[in-house]
Amino acid sequence: MAVRTIEVRERVMARNDAFAAEVRRRLSDAEITAFNLVSSPGSGKTLLLERTMAALGEELGIAVVTGDVQTQNDADRLARHTTRLVQAVVTGGACHLDASQIATALEAIDLDQTHLLFIENVGNLVCPASWDLGEAAKIVVFSVTEGEDKPLKYPKMFQQARYAVLNKVDLLPHLDFDVDLAMDNARAINPGLRFFLTSARSCEGLDAWYRFLREQVRAVVRQ
Amino acid sequence: MHELSLALEVCRLAEEVLEREGGVAIRGLGVEVGDDAGIEVANFRFCLDALLTEPPLTGARAEILAARGDSLRLAYVEVDDGRSDD
C-alpha cells in the first residue's frame, strides 16, 4: 500500500468559528446584542433571566435560547414571561452549546422584534468556555454558595467572560462567603471583569443589571 | 468533557482530507494540542482512540503533538491511496 502524509494544519474549531461568524453577522445586521450566560449548574441563571424577562422582556424585545443536556424545563419556565421568544436546544448529552445550534435556533426567532438575545448555556464552567457562539460577550454567573475560589478553579471561563454576576447575595448573612476575596480572585484571572452583585430571589442589585442591559441595547441600536 | 466533541471534529476533518485526496483509508493522524487549549490530553486521546475503530479510520494511529498556547489543529493525516507499493 502507498501511504502519503498530508500536512493539514487546520484549526479544529474552524467550522464552529465559521458558524459563530455567521451568527455574529446576522445579529449585527438585526442590531441585536447577544450575551452568552455561562455558569455551573444551580447558580441561578434561569431565575435571573425570569426576572429580567418580566422586567424588560417587552421593553427590550428579549429572546432567549436555552441549552440543556436533557429536558426543556428552563425554556418552559422562561416561556411564561413571553409568548414567542424562547428557543430550547436539548444537547442530548453534549456538555456545551455550539455555534451551529445557535444558527439553527435563530431561524425560529423573529429577529426584527428582538434587541437583546440571551443564550443560556449548559450549566458547566469548563466546556462552554471553548465555544464561540457569536455572542457580544460571555457573562459568567456564580453564586455565593459556591466558594470564593471558583475563579481560580475555572480560570478559562473567567478569562473568557467580560462580565460576572455574583448571585444569591441575599444568602450572605447565613454564609462565611467573602465577597471581596471572590472578586479579587476573579480579577487576578481577568482584571477587566465587571461585576454585578445580585439576588434574583430578592431582586437585590437587579436595578444595576437592568441599567446595564438597557445601555448595551441602546449602544448597539444607536450605532 | 468536551474532548469527545473535539475528537469527533478531528475525525470529520480527517475524513474531509481523505475525500479530497482520493484515498481509501486513514492510517494515522496528528493533532497539535496547546498547553492552554483547555483540553485534558489523556481524555482527548481516549476519545480519539475510541473513534478510530470505524472505517475509514479503523486502526489509524493518533499522535498528540504538544504545542504552546491555545492551539488546536489537525496537523497531518496519513492517507492510504489503496495502490500497491510495487
Side-chain angles (χ1 to χ4, degrees):
Chain A
M1 65 179 183
V3 176
R4 289 177 291 135
T5 300
I6 311 296
E7 191 172 331
V8 183
R9 295 194 55 77
E10 185 162 353
R11 292 176 53 250
V12 174
M13 298 301 283
R15 185 164 174 265
N16 180 78
D17 292 350
F19 274 111
E22 168 66 12
V23 167
R24 197 163 274 123
R25 187 192 61 73
R26 283 162 67 185
L27 294 174
S28 172
D29 287 352
E31 298 184 327
I32 296 171
T33 303
F35 290 122
N36 181 0
L37 289 190
V38 290
S39 81
S40 51
S43 65
K45 288 191 301 301
T46 308
L47 185 56
L48 179 67
L49 285 179
E50 281 187 279
R51 298 288 193 216
T52 305
M53 294 286 275
L56 302 179
E58 292 303 316
E59 177 188 335
L60 298 184
I62 299 176
V64 183
V65 177
T66 64
D68 270 305
V69 173
Q70 280 300 338
T71 83
Q72 58 173 50
N73 291 355
D74 290 353
D76 291 343
R77 276 174 63 182
L78 292 166
R80 290 186 209 126
H81 302 277
T82 178
T83 53
R84 58 185 175 92
L85 296 168
V86 180
Q87 268 306 107
V89 177
V90 177
T91 66
C95 48
H96 58 272
L97 291 172
D98 66 46
S100 72
Q101 292 167 322
I102 305 306
T104 302
L106 288 187
E107 298 292 336
I109 291 174
D110 184 351
L111 300 183
D112 291 338
Q113 299 298 315
T114 303
H115 299 299
L116 179 60
L117 173 70
F118 284 110
I119 301 163
E120 184 183 355
N121 216 314
V122 177
N124 177 347
L125 271 179
V126 182
C127 310
S130 299
W131 267 263
D132 179 7
L133 302 183
E135 72 272 9
K138 287 185 175 67
I139 299 178
V140 61
V141 183
F142 72 122
S143 61
V144 299
T145 54
E146 296 180 45
E148 300 93 340
D149 58 352
K150 206 103 200 199
L152 305 177
K153 287 179 171 174
Y154 301 92
K156 185 163 185 179
M157 189 60 89
F158 284 81
Q159 278 164 2
Q160 294 283 319
R162 196 180 306 160
Y163 307 98
V165 174
L166 182 58
N167 196 26
K168 305 190 186 179
V169 295
D170 57 310
L171 296 177
L172 282 171
H174 309 288
L175 303 168
D176 296 324
F177 189 88
D178 183 335
V179 171
D180 290 334
L181 177 59
M183 290 169 68
D184 287 347
N185 284 338
R187 287 182 173 136
I189 301 292
N190 181 351
L193 203 59
R194 178 173 169 188
F195 265 91
F196 299 91
L197 271 59
T198 64
S199 165
R201 182 168 167 269
S202 72
C203 297
E204 185 178 341
L206 291 185
D207 285 346
W209 167 247
Y210 297 155
R211 256 196 318 277
F212 160 75
L213 295 175
R214 286 190 179 102
E215 286 165 8
Q216 295 295 309
V217 168
R218 271 202 296 270
V220 167
V221 172
R222 204 185 297 130
Q223 276 174 6
Chain B
M1 279 190 286
H2 59 301
E3 281 79 1
L4 180 58
S5 301
L6 296 171
L8 280 163
E9 183 63 7
V10 165
C11 293
R12 194 190 66 78
L13 287 171
E15 289 184 43
E16 269 187 8
V17 172
L18 179 71
E19 193 176 330
R20 200 161 62 225
E21 296 294 325
V24 296
I26 293 167
R27 298 300 177 205
L29 52 84
V31 187
E32 187 182 290
V33 180
D35 54 5
D36 196 25
I39 291 174
E40 215 288 290
V41 172
N43 183 243
F44 184 54
R45 171 174 287 287
F46 177 84
C47 294
L48 273 177
D49 287 345
L51 293 171
L52 299 179
T53 55
E54 297 285 330
L57 292 149
T58 310
R61 179 185 55 85
E63 181 183 16
I64 306 287
L65 305 159
R68 302 296 297 271
D70 61 359
S71 169
L72 178 61
R73 292 173 188 273
L74 176 60
Y76 69 84
V77 178
E78 293 173 348
V79 172
D80 184 346
D81 62 15
R83 290 196 298 269
S84 166
D85 282 337
D86 46 35

mmCIF file of all heavy atoms in Angstrom, chain A residues 137-181:
data_model
loop_
_atom_site.group_PDB
_atom_site.id
_atom_site.type_symbol
_atom_site.label_atom_id
_atom_site.label_comp_id
_atom_site.label_asym_id
_atom_site.label_seq_id
_atom_site.Cartn_x
_atom_site.Cartn_y
_atom_site.Cartn_z
ATOM 1 N N ALA A 137 -20.612 39.051 24.199
ATOM 2 C CA ALA A 137 -19.765 38.790 25.368
ATOM 3 C C ALA A 137 -20.315 37.603 26.140
ATOM 4 O O ALA A 137 -21.511 37.315 26.094
ATOM 5 C CB ALA A 137 -19.715 40.020 26.279
ATOM 6 N N LYS A 138 -19.418 36.950 26.848
ATOM 7 C CA LYS A 138 -19.843 35.934 27.813
ATOM 8 C C LYS A 138 -20.043 36.608 29.164
ATOM 9 O O LYS A 138 -19.273 37.489 29.556
ATOM 10 C CB LYS A 138 -18.782 34.839 27.956
ATOM 11 C CG LYS A 138 -18.675 33.898 26.768
ATOM 12 C CD LYS A 138 -17.679 32.784 27.045
ATOM 13 C CE LYS A 138 -17.647 31.755 25.917
ATOM 14 N NZ LYS A 138 -17.117 32.297 24.636
ATOM 15 N N ILE A 139 -21.087 36.187 29.849
ATOM 16 C CA ILE A 139 -21.334 36.653 31.218
ATOM 17 C C ILE A 139 -21.296 35.423 32.113
ATOM 18 O O ILE A 139 -22.108 34.505 31.936
ATOM 19 C CB ILE A 139 -22.698 37.355 31.327
ATOM 20 C CG1 ILE A 139 -22.739 38.581 30.400
ATOM 21 C CG2 ILE A 139 -22.969 37.764 32.784
ATOM 22 C CD1 ILE A 139 -24.077 39.323 30.404
ATOM 23 N N VAL A 140 -20.346 35.400 33.038
ATOM 24 C CA VAL A 140 -20.252 34.247 33.930
ATOM 25 C C VAL A 140 -21.070 34.548 35.184
ATOM 26 O O VAL A 140 -20.967 35.625 35.774
ATOM 27 C CB VAL A 140 -18.780 33.902 34.254
ATOM 28 C CG1 VAL A 140 -18.053 35.026 34.955
ATOM 29 C CG2 VAL A 140 -18.693 32.618 35.084
ATOM 30 N N VAL A 141 -21.945 33.615 35.519
ATOM 31 C CA VAL A 141 -22.780 33.748 36.717
ATOM 32 C C VAL A 141 -22.258 32.758 37.753
ATOM 33 O O VAL A 141 -22.077 31.578 37.439
ATOM 34 C CB VAL A 141 -24.263 33.424 36.400
ATOM 35 C CG1 VAL A 141 -25.132 33.631 37.639
ATOM 36 C CG2 VAL A 141 -24.762 34.290 35.249
ATOM 37 N N PHE A 142 -21.938 33.231 38.941
ATOM 38 C CA PHE A 142 -21.657 32.292 40.024
ATOM 39 C C PHE A 142 -22.291 32.821 41.290
ATOM 40 O O PHE A 142 -22.680 33.983 41.367
ATOM 41 C CB PHE A 142 -20.166 31.944 40.143
ATOM 42 C CG PHE A 142 -19.242 33.006 40.666
ATOM 43 C CD1 PHE A 142 -18.482 32.760 41.810
ATOM 44 C CD2 PHE A 142 -19.085 34.217 40.028
ATOM 45 C CE1 PHE A 142 -17.605 33.701 42.294
ATOM 46 C CE2 PHE A 142 -18.212 35.171 40.498
ATOM 47 C CZ PHE A 142 -17.464 34.926 41.630
ATOM 48 N N SER A 143 -22.446 31.940 42.259
ATOM 49 C CA SER A 143 -23.259 32.308 43.409
ATOM 50 C C SER A 143 -22.454 32.168 44.693
ATOM 51 O O SER A 143 -21.432 31.474 44.738
ATOM 52 C CB SER A 143 -24.517 31.438 43.470
ATOM 53 O OG SER A 143 -24.163 30.088 43.613
ATOM 54 N N VAL A 144 -22.947 32.846 45.718
ATOM 55 C CA VAL A 144 -22.190 32.919 46.980
ATOM 56 C C VAL A 144 -22.180 31.594 47.736
ATOM 57 O O VAL A 144 -21.472 31.466 48.732
ATOM 58 C CB VAL A 144 -22.735 34.042 47.889
ATOM 59 C CG1 VAL A 144 -22.606 35.386 47.196
ATOM 60 C CG2 VAL A 144 -24.181 33.778 48.285
ATOM 61 N N THR A 145 -22.912 30.620 47.241
ATOM 62 C CA THR A 145 -22.853 29.291 47.870
ATOM 63 C C THR A 145 -21.747 28.429 47.261
ATOM 64 O O THR A 145 -21.558 27.287 47.673
ATOM 65 C CB THR A 145 -24.196 28.559 47.698
ATOM 66 O OG1 THR A 145 -24.516 28.537 46.303
ATOM 67 C CG2 THR A 145 -25.302 29.254 48.465
ATOM 68 N N GLU A 146 -21.019 28.969 46.297
ATOM 69 C CA GLU A 146 -20.086 28.130 45.530
ATOM 70 C C GLU A 146 -18.638 28.199 46.004
ATOM 71 O O GLU A 146 -17.808 27.411 45.562
ATOM 72 C CB GLU A 146 -20.147 28.500 44.043
ATOM 73 C CG GLU A 146 -21.495 28.212 43.408
ATOM 74 C CD GLU A 146 -21.533 28.593 41.942
ATOM 75 O OE1 GLU A 146 -20.588 28.277 41.213
ATOM 76 O OE2 GLU A 146 -22.513 29.234 41.534
ATOM 77 N N GLY A 147 -18.259 29.166 46.813
ATOM 78 C CA GLY A 147 -16.857 29.261 47.228
ATOM 79 C C GLY A 147 -16.129 30.367 46.504
ATOM 80 O O GLY A 147 -16.306 30.570 45.307
ATOM 81 N N GLU A 148 -15.290 31.085 47.264
ATOM 82 C CA GLU A 148 -14.598 32.252 46.702
ATOM 83 C C GLU A 148 -13.559 31.873 45.662
ATOM 84 O O GLU A 148 -13.112 32.717 44.882
ATOM 85 C CB GLU A 148 -13.892 33.050 47.807
ATOM 86 C CG GLU A 148 -14.792 33.591 48.904
ATOM 87 C CD GLU A 148 -14.867 32.634 50.080
ATOM 88 O OE1 GLU A 148 -14.559 31.435 49.917
ATOM 89 O OE2 GLU A 148 -15.251 33.099 51.183
ATOM 90 N N ASP A 149 -13.110 30.622 45.689
ATOM 91 C CA ASP A 149 -12.010 30.229 44.791
ATOM 92 C C ASP A 149 -12.498 29.697 43.439
ATOM 93 O O ASP A 149 -11.710 29.207 42.648
ATOM 94 C CB ASP A 149 -11.117 29.184 45.466
ATOM 95 C CG ASP A 149 -11.897 27.940 45.880
ATOM 96 O OD1 ASP A 149 -13.144 27.952 45.779
ATOM 97 O OD2 ASP A 149 -11.251 26.972 46.315
ATOM 98 N N LYS A 150 -13.786 29.837 43.166
ATOM 99 C CA LYS A 150 -14.305 29.346 41.876
ATOM 100 C C LYS A 150 -13.529 29.929 40.680
ATOM 101 O O LYS A 150 -13.194 29.189 39.756
ATOM 102 C CB LYS A 150 -15.790 29.712 41.740
ATOM 103 C CG LYS A 150 -16.551 28.788 40.834
ATOM 104 C CD LYS A 150 -17.366 27.833 41.664
ATOM 105 C CE LYS A 150 -17.752 26.610 40.899
ATOM 106 N NZ LYS A 150 -18.880 25.905 41.514
ATOM 107 N N PRO A 151 -13.232 31.234 40.677
ATOM 108 C CA PRO A 151 -12.482 31.767 39.531
ATOM 109 C C PRO A 151 -11.100 31.132 39.379
ATOM 110 O O PRO A 151 -10.599 31.000 38.260
ATOM 111 C CB PRO A 151 -12.354 33.260 39.858
ATOM 112 C CG PRO A 151 -13.494 33.548 40.778
ATOM 113 C CD PRO A 151 -13.631 32.301 41.612
ATOM 114 N N LEU A 152 -10.491 30.748 40.483
ATOM 115 C CA LEU A 152 -9.163 30.137 40.410
ATOM 116 C C LEU A 152 -9.247 28.694 39.919
ATOM 117 O O LEU A 152 -8.336 28.189 39.266
ATOM 118 C CB LEU A 152 -8.477 30.180 41.786
ATOM 119 C CG LEU A 152 -8.371 31.571 42.423
ATOM 120 C CD1 LEU A 152 -7.736 31.475 43.806
ATOM 121 C CD2 LEU A 152 -7.564 32.504 41.529
ATOM 122 N N LYS A 153 -10.369 28.052 40.236
ATOM 123 C CA LYS A 153 -10.536 26.660 39.813
ATOM 124 C C LYS A 153 -10.909 26.551 38.336
ATOM 125 O O LYS A 153 -10.627 25.539 37.702
ATOM 126 C CB LYS A 153 -11.644 25.999 40.642
ATOM 127 C CG LYS A 153 -11.262 25.698 42.079
ATOM 128 C CD LYS A 153 -12.455 25.078 42.788
ATOM 129 C CE LYS A 153 -12.067 24.561 44.161
ATOM 130 N NZ LYS A 153 -13.250 24.101 44.906
ATOM 131 N N TYR A 154 -11.593 27.564 37.829
ATOM 132 C CA TYR A 154 -12.074 27.532 36.441
ATOM 133 C C TYR A 154 -11.593 28.779 35.706
ATOM 134 O O TYR A 154 -12.395 29.592 35.240
ATOM 135 C CB TYR A 154 -13.606 27.436 36.401
ATOM 136 C CG TYR A 154 -14.123 26.211 37.104
ATOM 137 C CD1 TYR A 154 -14.477 26.255 38.450
ATOM 138 C CD2 TYR A 154 -14.224 24.996 36.439
ATOM 139 C CE1 TYR A 154 -14.920 25.121 39.114
ATOM 140 C CE2 TYR A 154 -14.670 23.854 37.089
ATOM 141 C CZ TYR A 154 -15.018 23.927 38.429
ATOM 142 O OH TYR A 154 -15.460 22.806 39.073
ATOM 143 N N PRO A 155 -10.276 28.957 35.596
ATOM 144 C CA PRO A 155 -9.744 30.227 35.094
ATOM 145 C C PRO A 155 -10.134 30.537 33.655
ATOM 146 O O PRO A 155 -10.360 31.708 33.325
ATOM 147 C CB PRO A 155 -8.224 30.060 35.235
ATOM 148 C CG PRO A 155 -7.994 28.591 35.309
ATOM 149 C CD PRO A 155 -9.203 28.012 35.973
ATOM 150 N N LYS A 156 -10.241 29.515 32.805
ATOM 151 C CA LYS A 156 -10.519 29.813 31.392
ATOM 152 C C LYS A 156 -11.864 30.513 31.246
ATOM 153 O O LYS A 156 -12.006 31.454 30.464
ATOM 154 C CB LYS A 156 -10.465 28.542 30.545
ATOM 155 C CG LYS A 156 -10.630 28.839 29.071
ATOM 156 C CD LYS A 156 -10.191 27.734 28.158
ATOM 157 C CE LYS A 156 -10.280 28.198 26.711
ATOM 158 N NZ LYS A 156 -9.855 27.187 25.756
ATOM 159 N N MET A 157 -12.856 30.043 32.005
ATOM 160 C CA MET A 157 -14.176 30.666 31.900
ATOM 161 C C MET A 157 -14.130 32.125 32.360
ATOM 162 O O MET A 157 -14.757 32.996 31.746
ATOM 163 C CB MET A 157 -15.190 29.886 32.728
ATOM 164 C CG MET A 157 -16.611 30.329 32.494
ATOM 165 S SD MET A 157 -17.076 30.130 30.771
ATOM 166 C CE MET A 157 -17.693 28.450 30.772
ATOM 167 N N PHE A 158 -13.383 32.389 33.416
ATOM 168 C CA PHE A 158 -13.314 33.766 33.915
ATOM 169 C C PHE A 158 -12.427 34.637 33.024
ATOM 170 O O PHE A 158 -12.619 35.853 32.961
ATOM 171 C CB PHE A 158 -12.858 33.780 35.380
ATOM 172 C CG PHE A 158 -13.957 33.370 36.323
ATOM 173 C CD1 PHE A 158 -14.253 32.034 36.530
ATOM 174 C CD2 PHE A 158 -14.750 34.329 36.948
ATOM 175 C CE1 PHE A 158 -15.303 31.651 37.360
ATOM 176 C CE2 PHE A 158 -15.798 33.961 37.781
ATOM 177 C CZ PHE A 158 -16.077 32.613 37.988
ATOM 178 N N GLN A 159 -11.481 34.024 32.316
ATOM 179 C CA GLN A 159 -10.705 34.776 31.318
ATOM 180 C C GLN A 159 -11.582 35.166 30.139
ATOM 181 O O GLN A 159 -11.467 36.266 29.590
ATOM 182 C CB GLN A 159 -9.556 33.908 30.777
ATOM 183 C CG GLN A 159 -8.326 33.857 31.647
ATOM 184 C CD GLN A 159 -7.411 32.699 31.246
ATOM 185 O OE1 GLN A 159 -7.692 31.962 30.299
ATOM 186 N NE2 GLN A 159 -6.336 32.551 31.992
ATOM 187 N N GLN A 160 -12.439 34.232 29.731
ATOM 188 C CA GLN A 160 -13.248 34.438 28.527
ATOM 189 C C GLN A 160 -14.397 35.417 28.752
ATOM 190 O O GLN A 160 -14.893 36.012 27.805
ATOM 191 C CB GLN A 160 -13.830 33.101 28.060
ATOM 192 C CG GLN A 160 -12.793 32.102 27.590
ATOM 193 C CD GLN A 160 -12.280 32.433 26.209
ATOM 194 O OE1 GLN A 160 -13.051 32.804 25.348
ATOM 195 N NE2 GLN A 160 -10.981 32.337 26.014
ATOM 196 N N ALA A 161 -14.841 35.550 30.001
ATOM 197 C CA ALA A 161 -16.008 36.391 30.281
ATOM 198 C C ALA A 161 -15.612 37.863 30.355
ATOM 199 O O ALA A 161 -14.499 38.199 30.754
ATOM 200 C CB ALA A 161 -16.648 35.960 31.593
ATOM 201 N N ARG A 162 -16.528 38.727 29.961
ATOM 202 C CA ARG A 162 -16.307 40.171 30.115
ATOM 203 C C ARG A 162 -17.037 40.698 31.347
ATOM 204 O O ARG A 162 -16.672 41.726 31.891
ATOM 205 C CB ARG A 162 -16.781 40.907 28.860
ATOM 206 C CG ARG A 162 -16.231 42.334 28.774
ATOM 207 C CD ARG A 162 -16.709 43.053 27.517
ATOM 208 N NE ARG A 162 -16.425 42.302 26.314
ATOM 209 C CZ ARG A 162 -17.044 42.484 25.147
ATOM 210 N NH1 ARG A 162 -17.980 43.408 25.054
ATOM 211 N NH2 ARG A 162 -16.752 41.751 24.087
ATOM 212 N N TYR A 163 -18.096 39.985 31.757
ATOM 213 C CA TYR A 163 -18.899 40.410 32.904
ATOM 214 C C TYR A 163 -19.111 39.218 33.836
ATOM 215 O O TYR A 163 -19.122 38.066 33.387
ATOM 216 C CB TYR A 163 -20.258 40.939 32.444
ATOM 217 C CG TYR A 163 -20.159 42.014 31.391
ATOM 218 C CD1 TYR A 163 -20.308 41.712 30.037
ATOM 219 C CD2 TYR A 163 -19.882 43.336 31.748
ATOM 220 C CE1 TYR A 163 -20.198 42.697 29.061
ATOM 221 C CE2 TYR A 163 -19.761 44.329 30.773
ATOM 222 C CZ TYR A 163 -19.920 43.994 29.436
ATOM 223 O OH TYR A 163 -19.801 44.970 28.481
ATOM 224 N N ALA A 164 -19.299 39.523 35.111
ATOM 225 C CA ALA A 164 -19.577 38.470 36.091
ATOM 226 C C ALA A 164 -20.753 38.893 36.942
ATOM 227 O O ALA A 164 -20.831 40.042 37.391
ATOM 228 C CB ALA A 164 -18.358 38.220 36.973
ATOM 229 N N VAL A 165 -21.670 37.967 37.144
ATOM 230 C CA VAL A 165 -22.786 38.184 38.062
ATOM 231 C C VAL A 165 -22.541 37.299 39.277
ATOM 232 O O VAL A 165 -22.414 36.077 39.143
ATOM 233 C CB VAL A 165 -24.135 37.809 37.405
ATOM 234 C CG1 VAL A 165 -25.272 37.910 38.425
ATOM 235 C CG2 VAL A 165 -24.412 38.702 36.199
ATOM 236 N N LEU A 166 -22.424 37.945 40.446
ATOM 237 C CA LEU A 166 -22.315 37.182 41.690
ATOM 238 C C LEU A 166 -23.713 37.163 42.299
ATOM 239 O O LEU A 166 -24.208 38.198 42.777
ATOM 240 C CB LEU A 166 -21.293 37.830 42.628
ATOM 241 C CG LEU A 166 -21.052 37.086 43.942
ATOM 242 C CD1 LEU A 166 -20.592 35.658 43.705
ATOM 243 C CD2 LEU A 166 -20.022 37.825 44.786
ATOM 244 N N ASN A 167 -24.330 35.995 42.243
ATOM 245 C CA ASN A 167 -25.758 35.893 42.531
ATOM 246 C C ASN A 167 -26.002 35.293 43.923
ATOM 247 O O ASN A 167 -25.083 34.814 44.578
ATOM 248 C CB ASN A 167 -26.400 35.009 41.445
ATOM 249 C CG ASN A 167 -27.905 35.138 41.393
ATOM 250 O OD1 ASN A 167 -28.471 36.169 41.782
ATOM 251 N ND2 ASN A 167 -28.573 34.094 40.943
ATOM 252 N N LYS A 168 -27.237 35.372 44.357
ATOM 253 C CA LYS A 168 -27.706 34.843 45.651
ATOM 254 C C LYS A 168 -27.131 35.626 46.834
ATOM 255 O O LYS A 168 -26.904 35.049 47.903
ATOM 256 C CB LYS A 168 -27.381 33.343 45.789
ATOM 257 C CG LYS A 168 -27.916 32.486 44.639
ATOM 258 C CD LYS A 168 -27.802 31.006 44.916
ATOM 259 C CE LYS A 168 -28.201 30.199 43.688
ATOM 260 N NZ LYS A 168 -28.101 28.755 43.859
ATOM 261 N N VAL A 169 -26.885 36.929 46.654
ATOM 262 C CA VAL A 169 -26.281 37.701 47.750
ATOM 263 C C VAL A 169 -27.233 37.834 48.946
ATOM 264 O O VAL A 169 -26.796 38.191 50.039
ATOM 265 C CB VAL A 169 -25.817 39.107 47.279
ATOM 266 C CG1 VAL A 169 -24.693 38.994 46.265
ATOM 267 C CG2 VAL A 169 -26.986 39.909 46.721
ATOM 268 N N ASP A 170 -28.517 37.514 48.762
ATOM 269 C CA ASP A 170 -29.437 37.532 49.908
ATOM 270 C C ASP A 170 -29.058 36.474 50.947
ATOM 271 O O ASP A 170 -29.470 36.562 52.105
ATOM 272 C CB ASP A 170 -30.892 37.306 49.442
ATOM 273 C CG ASP A 170 -31.067 35.996 48.679
ATOM 274 O OD1 ASP A 170 -30.280 35.748 47.734
ATOM 275 O OD2 ASP A 170 -31.979 35.224 49.029
ATOM 276 N N LEU A 171 -28.259 35.485 50.528
ATOM 277 C CA LEU A 171 -27.859 34.421 51.465
ATOM 278 C C LEU A 171 -26.607 34.770 52.264
ATOM 279 O O LEU A 171 -26.229 34.014 53.162
ATOM 280 C CB LEU A 171 -27.615 33.109 50.686
ATOM 281 C CG LEU A 171 -28.831 32.506 49.978
ATOM 282 C CD1 LEU A 171 -28.438 31.259 49.195
ATOM 283 C CD2 LEU A 171 -29.928 32.179 50.989
ATOM 284 N N LEU A 172 -25.973 35.894 51.946
ATOM 285 C CA LEU A 172 -24.693 36.231 52.597
ATOM 286 C C LEU A 172 -24.756 36.215 54.131
ATOM 287 O O LEU A 172 -23.801 35.742 54.773
ATOM 288 C CB LEU A 172 -24.183 37.587 52.094
ATOM 289 C CG LEU A 172 -23.530 37.563 50.700
ATOM 290 C CD1 LEU A 172 -23.270 38.971 50.194
ATOM 291 C CD2 LEU A 172 -22.247 36.743 50.710
ATOM 292 N N PRO A 173 -25.837 36.711 54.756
ATOM 293 C CA PRO A 173 -25.867 36.690 56.225
ATOM 294 C C PRO A 173 -25.779 35.280 56.821
ATOM 295 O O PRO A 173 -25.446 35.134 57.997
ATOM 296 C CB PRO A 173 -27.221 37.337 56.561
ATOM 297 C CG PRO A 173 -27.559 38.142 55.369
ATOM 298 C CD PRO A 173 -27.014 37.390 54.200
ATOM 299 N N HIS A 174 -26.063 34.287 56.017
ATOM 300 C CA HIS A 174 -26.078 32.905 56.524
ATOM 301 C C HIS A 174 -24.800 32.143 56.171
ATOM 302 O O HIS A 174 -24.670 30.964 56.477
ATOM 303 C CB HIS A 174 -27.274 32.151 55.940
ATOM 304 C CG HIS A 174 -28.566 32.880 56.096
ATOM 305 N ND1 HIS A 174 -29.188 33.019 57.315
ATOM 306 C CD2 HIS A 174 -29.332 33.560 55.198
ATOM 307 C CE1 HIS A 174 -30.301 33.740 57.153
ATOM 308 N NE2 HIS A 174 -30.395 34.078 55.878
ATOM 309 N N LEU A 175 -23.875 32.809 55.469
ATOM 310 C CA LEU A 175 -22.688 32.116 54.954
ATOM 311 C C LEU A 175 -21.415 32.820 55.410
ATOM 312 O O LEU A 175 -21.456 33.961 55.872
ATOM 313 C CB LEU A 175 -22.713 32.101 53.410
ATOM 314 C CG LEU A 175 -23.944 31.469 52.745
ATOM 315 C CD1 LEU A 175 -23.956 31.799 51.258
ATOM 316 C CD2 LEU A 175 -23.934 29.957 52.942
ATOM 317 N N ASP A 176 -20.277 32.158 55.240
ATOM 318 C CA ASP A 176 -18.985 32.775 55.529
ATOM 319 C C ASP A 176 -18.328 33.312 54.261
ATOM 320 O O ASP A 176 -17.136 33.606 54.262
ATOM 321 C CB ASP A 176 -18.044 31.740 56.178
ATOM 322 C CG ASP A 176 -18.585 31.288 57.525
ATOM 323 O OD1 ASP A 176 -19.175 32.132 58.232
ATOM 324 O OD2 ASP A 176 -18.446 30.093 57.854
ATOM 325 N N PHE A 177 -19.086 33.421 53.200
ATOM 326 C CA PHE A 177 -18.542 33.818 51.901
ATOM 327 C C PHE A 177 -17.972 35.233 51.959
ATOM 328 O O PHE A 177 -18.622 36.160 52.444
ATOM 329 C CB PHE A 177 -19.651 33.755 50.842
ATOM 330 C CG PHE A 177 -19.184 33.931 49.434
ATOM 331 C CD1 PHE A 177 -18.772 32.840 48.681
ATOM 332 C CD2 PHE A 177 -19.172 35.185 48.839
ATOM 333 C CE1 PHE A 177 -18.359 32.998 47.365
ATOM 334 C CE2 PHE A 177 -18.750 35.350 47.526
ATOM 335 C CZ PHE A 177 -18.346 34.256 46.787
ATOM 336 N N ASP A 178 -16.743 35.404 51.450
ATOM 337 C CA ASP A 178 -16.054 36.696 51.446
ATOM 338 C C ASP A 178 -16.145 37.286 50.031
ATOM 339 O O ASP A 178 -15.438 36.848 49.112
ATOM 340 C CB ASP A 178 -14.593 36.480 51.864
ATOM 341 C CG ASP A 178 -13.811 37.787 51.965
ATOM 342 O OD1 ASP A 178 -14.189 38.771 51.292
ATOM 343 O OD2 ASP A 178 -12.813 37.805 52.706
ATOM 344 N N VAL A 179 -17.041 38.254 49.846
ATOM 345 C CA VAL A 179 -17.296 38.824 48.517
ATOM 346 C C VAL A 179 -16.028 39.453 47.941
ATOM 347 O O VAL A 179 -15.691 39.256 46.758
ATOM 348 C CB VAL A 179 -18.425 39.874 48.583
ATOM 349 C CG1 VAL A 179 -18.549 40.630 47.262
ATOM 350 C CG2 VAL A 179 -19.751 39.195 48.922
ATOM 351 N N ASP A 180 -15.300 40.220 48.768
ATOM 352 C CA ASP A 180 -14.094 40.890 48.262
ATOM 353 C C ASP A 180 -13.058 39.872 47.789
ATOM 354 O O ASP A 180 -12.408 40.075 46.760
ATOM 355 C CB ASP A 180 -13.491 41.789 49.347
ATOM 356 C CG ASP A 180 -14.375 43.000 49.624
ATOM 357 O OD1 ASP A 180 -15.129 43.392 48.707
ATOM 358 O OD2 ASP A 180 -14.322 43.530 50.743
ATOM 359 N N LEU A 181 -12.906 38.796 48.552
ATOM 360 C CA LEU A 181 -11.937 37.759 48.162
ATOM 361 C C LEU A 181 -12.343 37.121 46.839
ATOM 362 O O LEU A 181 -11.499 36.896 45.954
ATOM 363 C CB LEU A 181 -11.840 36.695 49.266
ATOM 364 C CG LEU A 181 -10.918 35.505 48.978
ATOM 365 C CD1 LEU A 181 -9.481 35.967 48.708
ATOM 366 C CD2 LEU A 181 -10.954 34.514 50.146
#
